[in-house]
Each structure stands twice: as C-alpha cells, then as structure tokens.
C-alpha cells in the first residue's frame, strides 16, 4: 500500500478556512450553508434612505451601520440616520416598492435606480434613468396619480421579481 502524501499547501489552506467557517457558524448558531444560501437582500443598493431627505442626494451607506427590516438590509451613512429610520421606517422607504414611478404610470414595472430619485411631498420616488426623471418633471402630478392607480394591479409583479 503506497504511503499517504501530505496535502499541498494551497489545498491545506482551503481546508483550514472551510473548517474555520464551519466552526464559526456553529458557534454563532447558524449553519454556514444557510448563511450562504439565503443572504439578506440589500435595499436601495446600499444607499442611505434617510440621506435622500436630509442631504437631498444619494449617499452610500456604511457596512457597519445597518439594520434588517422587512427581509432587507438597509445601510446608513451615520448612526443618527439609522436611528431616524428605526423610529419610522415608512417615512423613508421608496414608494411603490422602489419601482420607477414613470414606468408604473405607464402600466409597467421597471426597476428604480437608487441614484435617480425625487423627494416630493415627503415621499421618496425612484426612477429608472435620468431620462425618466425628466419625463416625471414634465407632468409630475399626473404621473404620480397614474402610478398610484396602476400600483394595486402591478405590485404582485414586482414581488415576483
């Protein structure tokens, strides 16, 4: 019977890392496989939802300043913004589930882009592009009314994506 060969250094390092991940996940009480299979979805592409209102611009959130709400991870640029969100999340989340308000006004679902937005009437609306933002500005109240009218029939389509 031939003698067993020692593992090559790279293979041994991979094995050590895998064992460490399994040990840490057991220590944390969550299986590693479950952690890898079901990562939390990132809301707004990691942008801070409060900053749209306080700074008037899309501000990237910090990895260490986050909260899980409704199955998504929401990141913030400051602990103060996180606290504001936690006190009243509905005040800061995008309307229509983050769908482009112009496409919705046309009876279609199109993903909104976190860097293309409008804050109006104390609400955050996302748009699919800079062109869509111009289209919204041309007929703001009409587009918002039409989007609200189409939302009940199309919201299920957004959830299935």
């Amino acid at each position: 019977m031939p003698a067993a060969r020692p593992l090559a250094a790279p293979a041994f390092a991979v094995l050590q890392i895998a064992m460490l991940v399994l040990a840490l996940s057991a220590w944390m009480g969550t299986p590693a496989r479950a952690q890898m299979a079901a990562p939390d979805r990132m809301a707004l592409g990691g942008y801070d939802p409060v900053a749209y209102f306080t700074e008037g611009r899309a501000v990237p959130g910090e990895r260490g300043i986050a909260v899980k709400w409704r199955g998504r991870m929401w990141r913030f640029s400051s602990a103060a913004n996180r606290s504001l969100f936690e006190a009243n999340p509905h005040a800061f989340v995008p309307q229509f589930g983050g769908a482009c308000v112009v496409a919705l006004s046309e009876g279609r679902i199109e993903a909104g882009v976190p860097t293309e937005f409008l804050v109006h009437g104390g609400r955050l609306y996302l748009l699919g592009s800079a062109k869509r933002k111009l289209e919204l500005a041309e007929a703001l109240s009409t587009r918002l009314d039409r989007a609200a009218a189409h939302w009940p029939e199309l919201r299920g389509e957004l959830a299935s994506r």
Side-chain angles (χ1 to χ4, degrees), residues 3 17 20-21 42 50 55 70 79-80 82 93 95 109 114 119 125 127 130 144 147 150 153 156 160:
I17 291 170
L20 178 63
V21 167
M42 185 63 55
V50 177
E55 296 188 36
R70 292 200 167 177
R82 179 180 58 198
V93 298
Q95 299 301 292
I109 291 289
V119 173
Y125 299 95
L127 297 122
L144 292 177
H150 286 295
E153 69 192 56
S160 67

Side-chain angles (χ1 to χ4, degrees), residues 71-132:
R72 291 187 175 205
M73 290 303 295
W74 298 79
R75 288 186 180 169
F76 304 90
S77 57
S78 70
N81 281 6
R82 179 180 58 198
S83 294
L84 286 170
F85 182 87
E86 289 176 311
N88 187 7
H90 294 284
F92 301 103
V93 298
Q95 299 301 292
F96 308 121
C100 173
V101 68
V102 173
L104 191 57
S105 74
E106 297 167 349
R108 296 179 295 99
I109 291 289
E110 179 181 308
V113 177
T115 55
E116 296 298 334
F117 68 95
L118 171 72
V119 173
H120 176 74
R123 299 286 180 221
L124 172 63
Y125 299 95
L126 297 185
L127 297 122
S129 66
K131 179 183 176 202
R132 291 291 199 185

